[in-house]
Amino acid sequence: MISSKKFPAKDKLAIGSILRLALLFFVILHPAALLGVLWTVTPVRNAQSLHDVTPIAWIVGASGCILLMLQPSIPSKHKRARVISFVLLEGLFLGGFVTYFENIFPGVMLQLSFATFSAFIGALCVLSLIKVHQTIPQNFRVLLVALVGYGSFILHNIGFSNLNFPIIKPWGIGPSSVFAVPIGLVLALLLIPLSAYTLVAKVDRIKHILVTDKTDTTYIWESALGLIFTVVWPLTKNPREIYSKQHTAQK
């Protein structure tokens, strides 16, 4: 754990900037996700089902994200535009993907999206407190993020229940269950601590880099993007890092 002596004030401000920027990206992601939902359900004619939905939205979003991740280094003046583009494409992918596959796996995809969103909200609430980084071990930080995430998850479902949406049901209600508990709810409850661990580990790695290396505004933007990417990829290493590591090992 990094002590306060080794974690100077400028780095505390950088952590705060990264988390605030991640919150901004989280806000930007929502209208793009809504566009993905609307684009996916446009062909639907029967209001009581999700049959005949189109996969175009999530395919476009995924293709754009992959191209941006694999793109070689670009001039610094264009990096912010690439980050914003990635967030918008990620939102488009998320909205389209969840809506499309909710038809195939009823009661599952919506709960998984609620889980990742809730874990992210929990991380922003807990990790924005600098004292948490200085006094609480990593395992307990993961626990705190997960607990706040569970609270947010419950509120997501309660809010969705009040909408009386005719097609998609809250609480993972669907044809599949485990001991009478909807399978979507079971998977979501398992996903929240995984996402919480990923977010805490990412923030710890950011802190380590801030302390040991010189960083600039570009790093703050890229770090915030790495956090928002956990909404669709709740693992500690993103695909680009995995690809780079494997490519280096082959050399």
Side-chain angles (χ1 to χ4, degrees):
M1 181 175 63
I2 299 173
S3 66
S4 57
K5 293 182 180 180
K6 295 182 179 180
F7 196 47
K10 66 179 182 65
D11 295 328
K12 295 177 185 178
L13 293 174
I15 284 290
S17 298
I18 290 169
L19 292 175
R20 286 192 294 271
L21 193 56
L23 174 61
L24 175 62
F25 291 164
F26 190 60
V27 172
I28 294 174
L29 182 141
H30 279 72
L34 179 60
L35 175 62
V37 172
L38 295 176
W39 191 353
T40 302
V41 301
T42 297
V44 174
R45 295 292 182 266
N46 182 2
Q48 299 302 317
S49 71
L50 285 175
H51 295 302
D52 300 323
V53 291
T54 175
I56 297 176
W58 69 263
I59 291 175
V60 170
S63 300
C65 288
I66 291 172
L67 289 175
L68 289 177
M69 281 193 296
L70 298 179
Q71 187 178 13
S73 58
I74 60 175
S76 298
K77 62 181 181 179
H78 299 312
K79 285 186 177 180
R80 292 189 181 186
R82 182 175 71 170
V83 170
I84 295 296
S85 299
F86 188 94
V87 173
L88 291 172
L89 288 167
E90 180 183 349
L92 182 66
F93 165 77
L94 185 64
F97 188 86
V98 169
T99 306
Y100 182 83
F101 283 97
E102 183 70 18
N103 176 49
I104 302 174
F105 307 106
V108 174
M109 300 308 300
L110 182 67
Q111 295 304 305
L112 293 181
S113 65
F114 280 174
T116 55
F117 275 31
S118 298
F120 191 85
I121 292 171
L124 291 178
C125 293
V126 174
L127 301 180
S128 61
L129 303 174
I130 295 300
K131 289 185 177 180
V132 169
H133 300 284
Q134 299 174 348
T135 60
I136 300 179
Q138 185 188 61
N139 291 340
F140 285 100
R141 274 179 276 143
V142 172
L143 178 61
L144 286 174
V145 171
L147 289 175
V148 177
Y150 282 130
S152 176
F153 178 77
I154 292 171
L155 293 177
H156 269 87
N157 276 287
I158 291 176
F160 194 77
S161 300
N162 295 330
L163 294 178
N164 295 318
F165 201 79
I167 302 175
I168 306 174
K169 304 299 181 183
W171 303 109
I173 297 174
S176 302
S177 62
V178 178
F179 299 110
V181 180
I183 187 67
L185 188 59
V186 173
L187 294 175
L189 295 178
L190 294 175
L191 181 59
I192 288 175
L194 173 62
S195 297
Y197 171 78
T198 298
L199 287 161
V200 170
K202 280 181 175 291
V203 171
D204 282 351
R205 185 165 58 178
I206 291 169
K207 288 191 300 181
H208 177 74
I209 294 174
L210 287 173
V211 170
T212 57
D213 301 329
K214 291 183 178 180
T215 57
D216 55 13
T217 306
T218 300
Y219 177 75
I220 291 177
W221 276 66
E222 291 178 348
S223 298
L225 178 62
L227 293 177
I228 196 67
F229 190 60
T230 59
V231 173
V232 294
W233 185 268
L235 300 175
T236 53
K237 290 187 179 295
N238 63 47
R240 185 174 183 177
E241 291 173 329
I242 295 173
Y243 171 80
S244 298
K245 184 176 180 179
Q246 292 176 345
H247 186 65
T248 304
Q250 288 175 357
K251 288 184 176 180

